[in-house]
Amino acid sequence: MAERTLIIIKPDGIQRRLAGEVISRFERKGLKLVGAKLMQISREQAERHYAVHKGKPFFPRTVEYLSSGPVLAMVWEGDGVIAMSREMMGSTFGAQAKPGTIRGDFSCSPEGINLIHGSDSPPSAEYEIGLYFSPEEMVSYSFADERWVTGKKS
Ligand code: IDP
Ligand code: MG
């Protein structure tokens, strides 16, 4: 199976009606949506999500932010999708992220209000996908034009 990653359009992305814009960028890149869920993340779930940051000064407000409104949790698939999506997102703070990236184009925040989450490694992708999706909630399928997009013969 190709690599998978967890992408979340965070509460500000939903409130600012930017979900379609973000999805569109992933679609145009050629990546494959294999799971999606509009949901409200609980405080406990957000604490599990950011467990690696527990104890850091920004942990409480980051948990609060992720659980502050509806989000769109998605699983995207493709060889190298983790690194590609991190590049597409841009660096953590919108105020510093490069133009052309999602955070660079749509966030000016120096405080981590940054529209999108994306897993940063295969182990974190596996852990994070498991927080939001059961295996049956993801769909495996092929695109009819797969070899024109990836160059791979299926
Ligand atoms: P990432 O989202 O780019 O992977 P991480 O370092 O994993 O960034 O941090 C997780 C989230 O915590 C960030 O997306 C951001 O919302 C928030 N955050 C990280 N560092 C800070 C900080 O120094 N101040 C405020 N919020 C932060
Ligand atoms: Mg991170």
Side-chain angles (χ1 to χ4, degrees):
M1 196 210 301
E3 190 172 87
R4 289 179 170 180
T5 194
L6 180 78
I7 299 293
I8 298 178
I9 300 176
K10 292 178 171 180
D12 51 324
I14 298 296
Q15 292 297 322
R16 294 177 58 201
R17 307 168 190 87
L18 289 169
E21 169 70 37
V22 172
I23 291 169
S24 173
R25 289 181 178 218
F26 278 77
E27 283 191 312
R28 288 181 316 201
K29 181 76 173 164
L31 298 166
K32 189 183 291 175
L33 182 63
V34 298
K37 195 182 278 190
L38 183 74
M39 62 184 293
Q40 170 79 45
I41 295 178
S42 68
R43 172 172 293 274
E44 296 68 34
Q45 217 166 7
E47 283 172 357
R48 283 198 291 277
H49 180 110
Y50 284 126
V52 291
H53 295 306
K54 198 159 187 173
K56 295 182 187 165
F58 63 86
F59 178 75
R61 75 187 116 108
T62 300
V63 165
E64 162 72 27
Y65 164 43
L66 190 63
S67 56
S68 64
V71 302
L72 185 62
M74 299 178 283
V75 181
W76 286 86
E77 184 181 279
D79 288 337
V81 67
I82 295 172
M84 272 186 261
S85 50
R86 295 286 298 184
E87 290 287 324
M88 290 163 68
M89 285 160 54
S91 59
T92 300
F93 300 102
Q96 283 141 27
K98 295 252 168 27
T101 66
I102 293 164
R103 289 164 168 175
D105 286 351
F106 299 108
S107 169
C108 64
S109 172
E111 300 289 332
I113 303 300
N114 56 10
L115 295 161
I116 183 167
H117 167 81
S119 309
D120 64 4
S121 67
S124 51
E126 193 184 341
Y127 171 75
E128 292 170 2
I129 289 169
L131 289 177
Y132 303 100
F133 291 89
S134 62
E136 316 81 67
E137 290 175 322
M138 292 175 278
V139 185
S140 289
Y141 61 97
S142 300
F143 284 136
D145 63 353
E146 199 123 336
R147 81 187 176 91
W148 297 108
V149 175
T150 64
K152 283 200 310 192
K153 302 207 170 67
S154 49

